[in-house]
Amino acid sequence: MTAQEEGSVTAGGAETAPEVIRAEHISKRFGAVQALKDVNLYVRRGEILGLIGDNGAGKSTLIKTLTGFHRPDQGRLLFNGTETALRSVVHARSLGIDTVFQDLAMINDLPVYLNLFLNRELTHRPLPVLRRSEMRRRAREALDSIGISIPSVDTEVGQLSGGQRQAIAVARSVYAESTQLLLLDEPLAAMGAKEGGQILRLLKRLKERRDIAIILIAHNYAQIVDICDRVNLLQHGEITLDRASQETSVSELLELVHAEYGVN
Amino acid sequence: MEAKQVATAVGRGLVRRRELSIFVVCVAAAIYFAVTGSGFTTSENYHTIAQYVAPWIIIGAGEVMLLICGQIDLSAGFVFTLAPFVLTSFTGDGMPLLLALVCAVAISALVGVVNGLIHTLFNLASFIVTLGMAFFLEGMSLIASNAQPEAAPANGWVAQVFGRARWSELIWALAIVAVMQALLSTTKFGVNTQAVGSNPIGAAEAGIRINRIKIVNFALCSGLAGLGGILDGIRVGSFDPTNGGNETMFLAVASAVIGGTALLGGSGTIIGALLGALLLGIVYDGFNLTGVNANAFDVVLGIAIIAAMLLNVYLGVLRRKASR
Ligand SMILES: Nc1ncnc2c1ncn2[C@@H]1O[C@H](COP(=O)(O)OP(=O)(O)OP(=O)(O)O)[C@@H](O)[C@H]1O
Ligand SMILES: [Mg+2]
């Protein structure tokens, strides 16, 4: 059933839609660790790209390079076809690149609504004074529309469960205005089946809008095959596989990953 | 029935608002000394308390901001000591007092910028950076003053406004609390300061310029300490190289901590530090009035700091339970 759904979406134009981001020959080194080696990758508008790989393969480093947190040592990024040097996370965001980081970038001592607006707080311009009630109202709306249940938007994030925190991190990026590229680094890791399903449905809805490109990192290959249009496998900083989800399966992906270690 | 409701409401307020509980302790201490000691409830005595607490409040306001963003400034006490001599070096060259004062505060703030730059550029713990800076500034104060007190400016409206007029130092302290509390709780900068202290990596991932936030707070803390030193010196009538120093700094930090500021960053209020200083001032003054040995003050201070920390942890747990 899902395969059919995806088939129609892909056939419906994702393959011919323009590329939102293309990374060319990206390398990144941390001291002795070569985290990324000559990485090439692209995503089209309306497409979800699954990024898989072992722990330490370089997935988060790649995401952080695409969002302006890390500067690549080599290589270049094309954003909507134009070569772009991302100066900072804020710069990337201003272009429409939004990220759910693996560590969630949640501020435990701040309430939910301030986390949702972290570093993009609404203020009474030109004064830097916060518009707290407006932020509360919009936060409530955003969370309600995804169906995330939390006690109140005034709750300190530190008091929420891991899954709730993750849901809020996803909501923060999804509800940012004018997002063109959404990067999600293991957004489902701490979630129960129900909440994870909610987020997956949300991503499917976003995909149906066809105006956003998504890169999703997950260790659950079933989820990847289910929701993504394409899968890239990252091994030791190199992309070793780029395949349409329809042309692969959970068992093939597991085989490919395990082959490296000689597991039968 | 109604009394019970009021009691629960008060109880809930005490748990939720840390400041309220210190305020209650302040009032209790004041009542105790008003009853047991003679002369506590005189305007003269209130003035004495104001003299004690104003420097702690002014430095404490800056320390709260730094503590919230996960840092501390151990050199603020000696900025307090040195700033008056920076001022006299300018007035000695014939600069008008107001301009000299502005320059001295600016140079104090610059000390904070240096602290912040060393901390951020070399990734050196602020505890270490400002410890070194404290010794450096102590030496500079002794050199600049020849280890001798100097007469403070006493004439003209500028001197009146900046410490000479009765209560003016306290009014400055309260105004600083109001401004800093507004900065902390109503602006983007305040929220970012909290974010940097609570989760620096997350704040950076959200694009907050964490180094800039830290450096600004170091500058604020030092600038306030410098202003405090000048106000205090002008009030006393002489600039003394033994004024301020570590004791003043530690009392300011103690005020902040008693007022509910987390030593590990992320939360705290300026008003809390004001109340913390007030509590320390009332106890210190009360001990003097009732003839308790001054050394006992340190014993009480030590207990108060630990008790405040325990209360912080305990109230944190209660608050968590209440919000479930
Ligand atoms: N800031 C950093 N400084 C030094 N080394 C780093 C840094 N970030 C990542 N690395 C190293 O780069 C390599 C890739 O790390 P990365 O976090 O990208 O892996 P990952 O694929 O996201 O792993 P996981 O599945 O565990 O999240 C690892 O060896 C890691 O130790
Ligand atoms: Mg990772």
Side-chain angles (χ1 to χ4, degrees):
Chain A
M1 174 204 109
T2 30
Q4 222 173 358
E5 256 176 33
E6 272 159 15
S8 64
V9 170
T10 311
E15 249 161 40
T16 48
E19 289 172 7
V20 175
I21 192 118
R22 172 177 278 275
E24 288 183 344
H25 311 297
I26 296 285
S27 295
K28 180 73 190 176
R29 170 184 282 280
F30 297 109
V33 180
Q34 185 73 47
L36 296 174
K37 267 178 262 177
D38 194 31
V39 167
N40 295 289
L41 155 154
Y42 70 91
V43 211
R44 293 176 189 282
R45 190 181 296 160
E47 185 184 39
I48 303 186
L49 172 67
L51 189 60
I52 59 172
D54 289 332
N55 296 128
K59 303 180 298 296
S60 297
T61 307
L62 181 53
I63 290 292
K64 287 184 174 179
T65 308
L66 297 181
T67 196
F69 189 81
H70 289 319
R71 230 64 61 85
D73 300 335
Q74 269 149 41
R76 59 178 199 158
L77 296 177
L78 300 174
F79 185 67
N80 286 330
T82 320
E83 182 167 352
T84 308
L86 298 174
R87 290 189 302 273
S88 65
V89 179
V90 173
H91 178 215
R93 227 184 235 174
S94 71
L95 297 173
I97 302 176
D98 221 293
T99 314
V100 177
F101 290 96
Q102 186 168 13
D103 63 16
L104 302 182
M106 283 279 137
I107 309 299
N108 282 345
D109 290 294
L110 290 178
V112 168
Y113 76 94
L114 282 179
N115 269 284
L116 279 170
F117 284 92
L118 188 61
N119 204 28
R120 39 190 152 188
E121 293 86 356
L122 304 177
T123 52
H124 293 282
R125 280 162 200 259
L127 297 175
V129 175
L130 301 171
R131 296 169 63 191
R132 286 185 186 266
S133 51
E134 178 65 12
M135 287 192 276
R136 278 199 190 90
R137 192 182 66 73
R138 291 201 202 173
R140 235 174 268 127
E141 267 177 25
L143 296 180
D144 284 349
S145 73
I146 308 186
I148 296 170
S149 67
I150 47 157
S152 138
V153 291
D154 289 306
T155 312
E156 278 178 18
V157 162
Q159 297 171 20
L160 299 178
S161 74
Q164 288 172 321
R165 288 154 51 88
Q166 223 155 20
I168 289 164
V170 173
R172 171 164 72 189
S173 292
V174 168
Y175 277 83
E177 279 160 40
S178 69
T179 301
Q180 296 187 47
L181 175 63
L182 185 59
L183 308 166
L184 302 151
D185 195 347
E186 299 194 33
L188 306 167
M191 283 189 179
K194 174 168 156 272
E195 289 79 5
Q198 254 165 10
I199 299 297
L200 284 176
R201 272 195 298 284
L202 175 68
L203 295 183
K204 280 182 183 163
R205 259 185 286 157
L206 283 176
K207 181 164 109 173
E208 278 153 19
R209 265 175 32 192
R210 305 255 180 95
D211 59 354
I212 191 168
I214 299 175
I215 300 180
L216 171 70
I217 297 179
H219 285 292
N220 182 328
Y221 297 164
Q223 286 170 344
I224 290 275
V225 171
D226 172 29
I227 195 176
C228 297
D229 300 291
R230 258 185 323 122
V231 185
N232 280 10
L233 172 63
L234 195 62
Q235 291 180 300
H236 304 294
E238 289 178 278
I239 302 246
T240 53
L241 175 89
D242 177 5
R243 190 164 297 172
S245 319
Q246 293 160 296
E247 291 159 22
T248 188
S249 63
V250 174
S251 54
E252 189 197 19
L253 293 176
L254 283 171
E255 238 166 68
L256 279 166
V257 171
H258 287 169
E260 188 188 351
Y261 305 101
V263 177
N264 291 321
Chain B
M1 185 64 206
E2 216 166 64
K4 201 178 164 194
Q5 277 172 348
V6 170
T8 7
V10 168
R12 208 170 285 153
L14 284 178
V15 169
R16 208 162 288 162
R17 290 247 57 102
R18 180 79 178 76
E19 296 82 9
L20 205 55
S21 47
I22 319 153
F23 182 71
V24 170
V25 177
C26 275
V27 171
I31 291 173
Y32 173 80
F33 288 118
V35 172
T36 58
S38 62
F40 186 86
T41 53
T42 61
S43 142
E44 197 50 48
N45 187 52
Y46 296 148
H47 190 240
T48 307
I49 295 176
Q51 290 172 7
Y52 292 142
V53 299
W56 307 338
I57 294 170
I58 294 171
I59 300 177
E63 294 282 5
V64 168
M65 294 300 285
L66 270 179
L67 288 169
I68 289 176
C69 76
Q71 310 302 319
I72 192 166
D73 184 358
L74 300 180
S75 67
F78 285 109
V79 175
F80 183 97
T81 309
L82 180 61
F85 297 104
V86 176
L87 176 109
T88 51
S89 78
F90 286 128
T91 50
D93 293 342
M95 194 186 273
L97 180 56
L98 183 61
L99 187 59
L101 200 148
V102 170
C103 290
V105 172
I107 286 175
S108 304
L110 215 58
V111 171
V113 172
V114 171
N115 281 335
L117 282 175
I118 296 175
H119 162 68
T120 53
L121 288 180
F122 303 104
N123 202 13
L124 208 57
S126 61
F127 184 89
I128 300 299
V129 176
T130 59
L131 182 66
M133 184 60 86
F135 280 109
F136 176 82
L137 294 178
E138 182 177 20
M140 291 300 285
S141 307
L142 292 171
I143 292 169
S145 64
N146 280 320
Q148 297 292 324
E150 282 176 34
N155 304 319
W157 66 270
V158 178
Q160 288 294 326
V161 168
F162 288 91
R164 197 92 189 108
R166 198 174 159 86
W167 301 108
S168 77
E169 194 187 11
L170 182 71
I171 291 168
W172 272 102
L174 295 179
I176 287 166
V177 168
V179 170
M180 297 297 285
Q181 183 65 56
L183 182 70
L184 176 60
S185 54
T186 70
T187 71
K188 183 172 160 62
F189 177 79
V191 171
N192 287 355
T193 296
Q194 248 186 301
V196 168
S198 183
N199 180 359
I201 296 172
E205 285 173 346
I208 295 172
R209 306 219 197 146
I210 59 174
N211 289 348
R212 204 163 69 175
I213 300 274
K214 285 181 188 174
I215 290 169
V216 170
N217 279 312
F218 272 110
L220 276 174
C221 184
S222 292
L224 287 175
L227 175 62
I230 293 168
L231 291 170
D232 205 54
I234 294 180
R235 175 186 63 77
V236 173
S238 87
F239 293 155
D240 186 338
T242 62
N243 200 9
N246 283 332
E247 190 178 353
T248 305
M249 179 275 298
F250 277 124
L251 281 162
V253 172
S255 302
V257 170
I258 291 171
T261 296
L263 271 175
L264 294 177
S267 65
T269 64
I270 315 287
I271 290 172
L274 163 71
L275 292 169
L278 196 61
L279 180 60
L280 291 178
I282 288 170
V283 173
Y284 191 76
D285 177 71
F287 278 18
N288 279 344
L289 286 180
T290 48
V292 177
N293 187 329
N295 297 336
F297 174 71
D298 284 346
V299 174
V300 170
L301 174 62
I303 294 169
I305 291 173
I306 294 172
M309 295 304 282
L310 288 175
L311 198 66
N312 258 349
V313 174
Y314 178 68
L315 286 179
V317 172
L318 278 188
R319 210 178 301 141
R320 226 146 284 164
K321 277 188 188 150
S323 70
R324 279 277 147 81

